[in-house]
Amino acid sequence: FDIWFIDSKLGGVLAMFGAIAVMALLIGAVIPQFSALFTPDHELVFQNLVRSLKVLRNDAVFKNRSYRLVLDEKSRQIQFEQPNDKGEFEPIGEDRVLRPIQIPDSLDVLEATHADFDCESGLFSPSSTARLEIRIDGSGFVQPFALTLGERGQSRRWSICSQNILGTLALKEI
């Protein structure tokens, strides 16, 4: 009788730990999705770009490869490309980390340009194109760039600028 009593207590404790573990897993899966609901669209684009650029830069250094980050204003996406066997760039296949970043419909791409953009003043330059290609080479060099987003139907706008040749990004309201 005493052994059964100890086993039933142990079983209850194990069941409680199991329930806590399941709840922790559920909370860990739900909280990032829940917090994304309250994060402004321009910050989501910035966070995704920072994460993806860090992965590409590290991979470029470790594997001594080149990559390209491509902003296509028509498709409203930021895609990632790698060279194939012929040396031509092609999109990286569907990857959990490096999937294309979709620009939300609530934002307009006002400007996408290389280093001739003044991040502090927010002044545009005439050299931007509808397809901006940013090179990331095997040494870790990230071609400086700026992306200016504006809230659709609003006067608010933000610039995402690379601050140095290592691709450190900054988000600034202009």
Side-chain angles (χ1 to χ4, degrees):
F1 178 73
D2 289 336
I3 294 174
W4 177 81
F5 184 70
I6 292 172
D7 285 344
S8 67
K9 281 186 177 181
L10 183 62
V13 170
L14 289 176
M16 183 178 67
F17 281 131
I20 290 172
V22 168
M23 287 176 46
L25 288 173
L26 288 174
I27 288 171
V30 170
I31 285 180
Q33 301 301 323
F34 184 71
S35 66
L37 294 174
F38 299 104
T39 305
D41 287 342
H42 66 280
E43 286 185 23
L44 287 174
V45 171
F46 175 72
Q47 291 168 2
N48 288 333
L49 192 54
V50 166
R51 184 173 36 253
S52 299
L53 194 58
K54 188 181 294 185
V55 168
L56 280 176
R57 188 181 165 282
N58 288 341
D59 197 59
V61 170
F62 291 134
K63 294 182 180 175
N64 195 23
R65 297 187 63 165
S66 292
Y67 292 98
R68 212 162 50 182
L69 182 147
V70 178
L71 170 72
D72 186 3
E73 288 186 47
K74 290 179 184 173
S75 68
R76 300 182 53 79
Q77 281 189 347
I78 299 172
Q79 302 172 30
F80 309 101
E81 297 180 345
Q82 63 185 355
N84 60 19
D85 295 335
K86 298 177 186 175
E88 300 166 350
F89 281 88
E90 58 186 20
I92 293 176
E94 283 299 315
D95 186 278
R96 192 171 62 89
V97 176
L98 294 174
R99 61 181 176 262
I101 300 170
Q102 191 69 38
I103 306 292
D105 291 334
S106 64
L107 297 174
D108 286 325
V109 177
L110 302 176
E111 191 76 13
T113 163
H114 286 112
D116 49 358
F117 178 84
D118 183 5
C119 196
E120 287 300 313
S121 68
L123 295 176
F124 299 135
S125 68
S127 67
S128 67
T129 62
R131 179 178 163 91
L132 179 68
E133 298 175 351
I134 295 128
R135 184 174 38 92
I136 303 160
D137 69 20
S139 69
F141 171 80
V142 177
Q143 185 177 12
F145 70 97
L147 172 64
T148 304
L149 303 172
E151 218 169 23
R152 193 166 281 197
Q154 305 274 336
S155 61
R156 295 181 71 191
R157 58 187 189 149
W158 301 269
S159 68
I160 299 173
C161 298
S162 59
Q163 294 183 309
N164 54 37
I165 61 171
L166 298 178
T168 304
L169 297 181
L171 175 66
K172 180 179 178 185
E173 186 167 0
I174 51 176

